[in-house]
Amino acid sequence: MAGGRSLREADCLRQALPACYSVNWRASGPTCNGEAGVIETALRAHYAKPGVRWMQEQTGEPQRCVMNLSDGEKLVLMVLADMYKHLEIKGEFDPDFISTTISGGHLWGFRWKYTHIPFEPSENPPDVSETVDILDMWSSLEESYGKLSPADNQKVEKEANRTSVRLFGFDANKETHYFIARYLIEQLDRYPSFRGRDLNSPSPRIDGYRRMYRVFEAIRPTLVDRSLNADEIVKVLNAE
């Protein structure tokens, strides 16, 4: 049997998939490629069926679509991901990513990772958008600070009363932004300059970051082809 998989293994995999996915098992055959095909087809079918609901939230803000999976649907995808990993299938879906995304409650991450799947258009959850804005801001601050002359570095440190310009992170006990930031960096490979850092702050930071971002937001449109200067860095930092 191709890939070293037995007919019994392949048949067990087929039976584990819900009948509602309507996967054409016999068309692919009980081979290693067939196993990959049936799991990928099941995942694609899952996102194409009404089971993946897009609910309208009433939050006092403009309506936005939110991805929602039932507990049963989460379990099915987790089982499929586990099978994918156990059978050592080499396909386009990353079983570790799928498991982490579901267990961490980052369902929005599927749209970011698998851009080729025609997901329903939707907005990111507010905390995700805010975390992205904050990481964008700190990435710009750190990069710009690194480009300053020694004299301007001293100017920033003196006027902002800091010894360095570096993201302190978020309070993991009180701020969901910490887990979103780690997911963006570790699972979606965003913000490589923050990779490997301890982003768990001993105290809450989000209120200060929000004040900083309000200042940075006004400057941001002008940064298309330049970095922040020393005065702008000081202005943003002192807003915290």
Side-chain angles (χ1 to χ4, degrees), residues 166-175 178 197-206 209 240:
R166 187 177 176 85
L167 171 65
F168 290 111
F170 305 89
D171 187 340
N173 294 319
K174 299 179 180 179
E175 297 169 338
Y178 167 78
R197 291 197 200 176
D198 180 6
L199 296 180
N200 188 5
S201 169
S203 60
R205 313 291 306 194
I206 192 63
Y209 291 162
E240 188 177 14

Side-chain angles (χ1 to χ4, degrees), residues 186-207:
E186 297 172 5
Q187 297 297 322
L188 293 174
D189 298 321
R190 307 298 174 100
Y191 308 102
S193 63
F194 300 143
R195 181 176 290 277
R197 291 197 200 176
D198 180 6
L199 296 180
N200 188 5
S201 169
S203 60
R205 313 291 306 194
I206 192 63
D207 288 342

Side-chain angles (χ1 to χ4, degrees), residues 64-237:
R64 59 186 180 86
C65 295
V66 178
M67 186 175 186
N68 184 40
L69 298 176
S70 70
D71 290 344
E73 290 163 346
K74 292 176 183 177
L75 182 59
V76 167
L77 288 178
M78 292 285 276
V79 169
L80 289 173
D82 188 60
M83 289 179 174
Y84 221 73
K85 188 173 183 178
H86 174 71
L87 296 174
E88 299 179 355
I89 295 170
K90 303 300 181 183
E92 66 180 291
F93 292 98
D94 180 346
D96 290 327
F97 173 81
I98 291 173
S99 298
T100 300
T101 297
I102 293 174
S103 62
H106 305 299
L107 300 184
W108 52 273
F110 286 128
R111 290 186 293 105
W112 288 51
K113 177 80 169 180
Y114 300 116
T115 56
H116 60 288
I117 295 179
F119 293 109
E120 191 76 15
S122 68
E123 296 181 7
N124 294 316
D127 283 354
V128 173
S129 297
E130 185 170 56
T131 303
V132 168
D133 285 339
I134 290 169
L135 294 180
D136 283 349
M137 175 183 70
W138 273 106
S139 180
S140 181
L141 284 168
E142 291 190 9
E143 182 180 352
S144 298
Y145 176 76
K147 294 179 180 179
L148 294 179
S149 66
D152 279 338
N153 280 336
Q154 292 179 1
K155 172 184 174 70
V156 169
E157 292 168 10
K158 180 180 179 180
E159 296 186 10
N161 193 27
R162 292 173 181 253
T163 57
S164 65
V165 176
R166 187 177 176 85
L167 171 65
F168 290 111
F170 305 89
D171 187 340
N173 294 319
K174 299 179 180 179
E175 297 169 338
T176 59
H177 305 74
Y178 167 78
F179 300 99
I180 296 171
R182 284 194 55 186
Y183 179 80
L184 285 164
I185 296 165
E186 297 172 5
Q187 297 297 322
L188 293 174
D189 298 321
R190 307 298 174 100
Y191 308 102
S193 63
F194 300 143
R195 181 176 290 277
R197 291 197 200 176
D198 180 6
L199 296 180
N200 188 5
S201 169
S203 60
R205 313 291 306 194
I206 192 63
D207 288 342
Y209 291 162
R210 285 168 178 162
R211 290 190 294 269
M212 291 174 63
Y213 185 76
R214 283 195 288 271
V215 176
F216 177 77
E217 188 176 24
I219 304 172
R220 191 173 189 176
T222 70
L223 301 177
V224 176
D225 56 358
R226 71 176 184 90
S227 300
L228 293 161
N229 60 43
D231 289 332
E232 289 169 332
I233 293 174
V234 170
K235 186 176 181 181
V236 173
L237 292 175

Side-chain angles (χ1 to χ4, degrees), residues 4-89:
R5 307 299 180 196
S6 67
L7 179 60
R8 180 178 297 276
E9 263 187 309
D11 194 53
C12 287
L13 175 59
R14 174 185 62 80
Q15 293 179 14
L17 300 175
C20 64
Y21 290 130
S22 301
V23 177
N24 186 358
W25 171 258
R26 295 188 181 280
S28 57
T31 66
C32 186
N33 288 336
E35 291 161 9
V38 73
I39 293 178
E40 291 179 13
T41 302
L43 285 168
R44 290 178 183 278
H46 175 80
Y47 285 114
K49 72 189 184 67
V52 179
R53 292 176 294 278
W54 298 83
M55 309 297 291
Q56 293 293 326
E57 284 192 349
Q58 300 292 337
T59 61
E61 300 176 352
Q63 288 186 342
R64 59 186 180 86
C65 295
V66 178
M67 186 175 186
N68 184 40
L69 298 176
S70 70
D71 290 344
E73 290 163 346
K74 292 176 183 177
L75 182 59
V76 167
L77 288 178
M78 292 285 276
V79 169
L80 289 173
D82 188 60
M83 289 179 174
Y84 221 73
K85 188 173 183 178
H86 174 71
L87 296 174
E88 299 179 355
I89 295 170

